[in-house]
Amino acid sequence: MLSRRVISQLKDIFGPPNVLTSKISMEAYAYDSSPFIHYPEAVVFADKVEQISQLMKLANREKIVVVPRGAGTSLSGGAVPVHGGIILVLNRFNRILEIDPVNEVAWVESGVTNLALQQAAASYGLMFGPDPASQKVATMGGNVAEGAGGIRGVKYGVTRDHLLGLEVVLPDGEVVMIGGLGKYVPQIDLTGIFCGSEGTLGIITKILVKLIPLPEAIRTMMAVFGSLDKAGEAVSQIIARGIVPTTLEIMDQTMIRAVDDFINVGFPREAEAVLLIEVDGYEVEVDRQVESVVSICKEQGATDIRKATDEKERQDLWLARRSGNGALGRIKPAYMVQDVTVPRHKLPDMLRFVSDISKKYGIIIAQMAHAGDGNLHPHLLYDPFQPEELERVKQASHEIFTAALEMGGSLTGEHGIGMEKLEFMTQAFTANDLDFMEQVKRALDPHLVLNRGKVLDIA
Ligand SMILES: Cc1cc2nc3c(=O)[nH]c(=O)nc-3n(C[C@H](O)[C@H](O)[C@H](O)COP(=O)(O)OP(=O)(O)OC[C@H]3O[C@@H](n4cnc5c(N)ncnc54)[C@H](O)[C@@H]3O)c2cc1C
């Protein structure tokens, strides 16, 4: 428990109403969107960079762990205070500082939501490439810290690909600017170190990102398959033939039925899999892309192809995709969602492997994947009041991690390592690799006060 002296210092820094210590408040900040629960000892709300700087100086003096938190939508336990300490809530840093349509960049504070940036950019005919399904609430700070992606990732990449600069409060309280606008910023390129560092190396307060023009034309379609394998093959073929769709998403039968039960959009319930495909670009080119995609899907045995004929039909298809997570609540009260990647040509193998694992462990796994990126999101369903079922879900997850690594993939495409995949880091990296990462962490944070217990398993 934090001493009265420390709590009083926190109140001096943030103002008494912005420091919570009651039991009920600690309950509210003990979890994020992962299954993990650990209680903090205090929660503080910052709205000035100077407060964060002072907090980190205090944390270093007192050796207290600080956990940065945006919207708490992390799926790997990134915002869970596994070592107790102080939760630093950052969503009051919510100002869009500048949209520069000439240079096609934006400066935002880290608590701005992804959607707020998209909306502000759209009024200039621009967009921010990454569009995570959590975009209504997830913050830009969280997006940078997790290296977030989204359904447009096949064509537009992930947060890392759009990041130009950052203002960061380092673990010792120093405030630095890194990166910036221009073809070449004459300094060591450090922005990449913070992107995907999951709040373990610094607290991001301002972000400079690239924006890109909104496409002139968009075409959206759904291809229906009688076999999951065939749908996976179609994905490989589309990419192999040089087409770069904006989105290329796969959903299996469990997911299709759950979504259809939930929002009744007339999804093909008997299909083994559907591909949701979107292409964008200039008006003159998109229909040719559609023709190529349709012919590849037919070659691979698609039984039906439905093209969205207007914006409403297009929005219905994406509503169906975005409803996937919520729809599963009708089957079981909880799920563990995995995030492994595999090389694209291994996608059919991995989809099949996950189906087999579902049978082996007697659990329901609904499959959804950013197929074009080889990034799978198997949702392993369970009842939290059945510990034995949760145990089977964990074992099944472990087999999925191992298989992804054996296929030349990775533990995570966009949800991070957090607490969830810590123990698999030794499987994914050599001792030398891990040692190097630890040296970087210790150089910036020698007392391990910033989000200890995430990404690297160091005491
Ligand atoms: C329904 C649902 C759908 C999702 N869909 C996607 C998706 O399509 N693509 C995707 O990539 N992810 C997705 N996610 C995961 C999650 O939304 C992202 O990881 C998101 O980037 C987290 O943002 P956040 O503001 O909620 O961060 P939090 O959950 O609060 O924190 C996440 C991590 O970032 C750190 N952090 C947060 N803010 C800062 C900061 N300012 N400085 C330093 N560190 C910080 C935290 O310490 C923690 O380690 C989804 C989650 C849910 C619940």
Side-chain angles (χ1 to χ4, degrees):
M1 224 172 70
L2 297 180
S3 67
R4 280 199 190 158
R5 184 177 49 80
V6 167
I7 290 171
S8 151
Q9 289 181 47
L10 290 175
K11 288 182 177 167
D12 288 345
I13 297 172
F14 295 96
N18 302 313
V19 178
L20 306 181
T21 51
S22 68
K23 191 164 182 295
I24 187 111
S25 305
M26 299 311 103
E27 291 272 352
Y29 286 89
Y31 59 91
D32 55 14
S33 300
S34 71
F36 305 104
I37 297 186
H38 289 273
Y39 291 84
E41 292 152 80
V43 177
V44 297
F45 297 83
D47 59 9
K48 292 185 189 64
V49 174
E50 179 53 28
Q51 292 171 330
I52 302 176
S53 174
Q54 286 183 39
L55 171 68
M56 294 319 298
K57 286 177 184 154
L58 171 67
N60 269 288
R61 277 198 308 275
E62 304 286 339
K63 314 283 180 294
I64 301 166
V65 175
V66 173
V67 180
R69 181 180 173 107
T73 64
S74 167
L75 292 164
S76 56
V80 173
V82 61
H83 289 288
I86 301 167
I87 294 270
L88 168 63
V89 182
L90 290 154
N91 54 12
R92 291 186 185 170
F93 283 85
N94 59 4
R95 288 178 308 153
I96 294 176
L97 301 169
E98 185 183 4
I99 303 271
D100 173 351
V102 177
N103 291 301
E104 298 186 340
V105 296
W107 268 112
V108 296
E109 290 185 331
S110 60
V112 166
T113 64
N114 178 292
L115 186 64
L117 173 59
Q118 304 287 2
Q119 288 168 340
S123 56
Y124 294 89
L126 299 168
M127 65 182 190
F128 176 58
D131 59 339
S134 52
Q135 65 178 180
K136 273 190 195 163
V137 290
T139 65
M140 288 297 294
N143 285 186
V144 174
E146 294 284 9
I151 56 176
R152 296 196 290 238
V154 201
K155 182 164 181 179
Y156 293 114
V158 292
T159 302
R160 183 181 306 285
D161 304 314
H162 302 267
L163 188 60
L164 292 171
L166 294 171
E167 179 187 81
V168 182
V169 182
L170 297 177
D172 64 0
E174 197 184 333
V175 183
V176 295
M177 286 290 299
I178 47 180
L181 186 59
K183 180 175 173 188
Y184 174 64
V185 181
Q187 58 179 213
I188 297 173
D189 181 8
L190 292 171
T191 38
I193 292 189
F194 290 93
C195 187
S197 67
E198 303 187 29
T200 62
L201 300 182
I203 298 154
I204 299 156
T205 44
K206 290 195 188 84
I207 305 168
L208 176 65
V209 288
K210 289 184 220 167
L211 300 174
I212 43 181
L214 283 165
E216 184 181 287
I218 299 175
R219 299 283 186 275
T220 308
M221 68 207 103
M222 175 170 72
V224 181
F225 289 86
S227 128
L228 193 55
D229 263 15
K230 289 281 178 199
E233 289 295 346
V235 171
S236 301
Q237 284 303 315
I238 290 169
I239 303 285
R241 297 210 207 156
I243 302 162
V244 186
T246 323
T247 54
L248 189 42
E249 299 281 303
I250 199 167
M251 293 165 82
D252 76 353
Q253 190 176 62
T254 308
M255 193 60 92
I256 294 168
R257 290 187 174 181
V259 167
D260 198 49
D261 288 339
F262 187 38
I263 54 169
N264 283 304
V265 280
F267 251 34
R269 301 179 63 85
E270 301 316 314
E272 283 274 321
V274 294
L275 290 182
L276 296 177
I277 309 160
E278 191 158 274
V279 294
D280 71 12
Y282 292 107
E283 197 65 58
V284 289
E285 63 177 328
V286 283
D287 288 328
R288 281 196 57 191
Q289 290 188 62
V290 171
E291 274 170 36
S292 307
V293 169
V294 167
S295 89
I296 294 168
C297 288
K298 284 188 176 157
E299 277 168 32
Q300 294 303 320
T303 52
D304 188 15
I305 293 178
R306 302 183 192 172
K307 296 181 200 164
T309 55
D310 57 27
E311 186 55 23
K312 170 155 187 333
E313 283 186 17
R314 173 173 177 256
Q315 289 304 336
D316 280 351
L317 284 178
W318 291 122
L319 175 68
R321 163 64 180 80
R322 290 204 157 97
S323 302
N325 295 19
L328 296 174
R330 297 170 67 94
I331 304 177
K332 288 265 178 183
Y335 59 72
M336 200 179 268
V337 54
Q338 295 308 341
D339 175 42
V340 292
T341 71
V342 292
R344 217 153 22 211
H345 69 283
K346 293 279 187 188
L347 186 71
D349 293 349
M350 193 63 192
L351 290 166
R352 206 175 315 118
F353 178 82
V354 174
S355 296
D356 292 345
I357 282 289
S358 155
K359 289 178 202 125
K360 176 174 169 185
Y361 286 94
I363 51 174
I364 301 172
I365 305 184
Q367 298 213 59
M368 184 147 80
H370 303 311
D373 293 334
N375 185 188
L376 293 94
H377 289 324
H379 288 58
L380 294 84
L381 311 193
Y382 67 95
D383 179 344
F385 296 105
Q386 308 259 346
E388 181 275 332
E389 192 172 46
L390 176 58
E391 197 42 48
R392 275 185 283 140
V393 159
K394 283 185 184 162
Q395 284 173 16
S397 297
H398 293 180
E399 287 215 34
I400 292 171
F401 294 148
T402 304
L405 292 174
E406 282 172 2
M407 288 185 198
S410 67
L411 295 174
T412 171
E414 52 187 27
H415 297 169
I417 297 297
M419 303 164 54
E420 185 195 22
K421 300 168 201 114
L422 263 192
E423 62 182 294
F424 292 93
M425 290 294 274
T426 50
Q427 232 172 296
F429 296 97
T430 65
N432 279 353
D433 297 343
L434 288 171
D435 185 48
F436 178 59
M437 288 183 232
E438 183 171 335
Q439 284 179 47
V440 173
K441 167 73 177 166
R442 287 189 188 276
L444 286 168
D445 184 12
H447 301 304
L448 306 179
V449 289
L450 198 55
N451 214 359
R452 189 190 309 160
K454 311 295 166 60
V455 188
L456 293 173
D457 192 10
I458 45 182

